[in-house]
Amino acid sequence: MPLGSMADRFGWPEDDADLYGQPRELYRVMSEGERGRLAMNFAGALAGVPDFIVDRFVGHLEKVSAELSSGVRDGIAKKRAIAKPELTDLLTETHTHAAGGDQKPQMAVSADD
């Protein structure tokens, strides 16, 4: 099967001007719900990743959309706060009462207290 002139090498553009055009346009045509889900999917995947990698990835997202990059950063912060079960355990105390055994508090202590 002859390939003709379509089989050829194509080089990278000389600058980064167009590398973000396609994802920027895709993000632009997404609905608000799709944009939110995309940001939260990225955030979920990046919540356990070292900060220097997150910074690089979010730097690329910034070139696509400032809204997307800030949504991902906010989502990462929320997921990292939830992903600390030891903090939750500390904020929900269990007291031992000498006469009656374990006694749970009436209400959990919140981070704002």
Side-chain angles (χ1 to χ4, degrees):
M1 176 167 125
L3 296 176
S5 64
M6 290 305 291
D8 199 356
R9 293 178 186 249
F10 294 93
W12 288 96
E14 294 299 320
D15 59 16
D16 290 347
D18 194 46
L19 295 179
Y20 300 95
Q22 185 177 14
R24 187 179 302 117
E25 185 63 23
L26 175 62
Y27 187 75
R28 189 187 68 76
V29 299
M30 289 179 164
S31 70
E32 187 176 334
E34 291 170 329
R35 289 177 182 184
R37 287 190 298 276
L38 179 65
M40 290 313 291
N41 283 336
F42 282 145
L46 292 167
V49 173
D51 286 337
F52 77 94
I53 295 173
V54 170
D55 292 340
R56 288 181 187 175
F57 186 79
V58 173
H60 287 288
L61 294 180
E62 182 68 36
K63 295 176 183 178
V64 173
S65 166
E67 175 189 359
L68 177 58
S69 65
S70 66
V72 170
R73 282 213 188 267
D74 292 345
I76 290 170
K78 288 177 187 173
K79 292 203 179 274
R80 284 181 176 174
I82 293 169
K84 302 243 185 252
E86 64 276 3
L87 180 60
T88 304
D89 292 343
L90 287 173
L91 296 177
T92 307
E93 300 173 2
T94 302
H95 302 280
T96 302
H97 189 273
D102 288 337
Q103 187 179 39
K104 292 191 177 182
Q106 297 284 331
M107 57 193 277
V109 178
S110 72
D112 296 331
D113 291 348

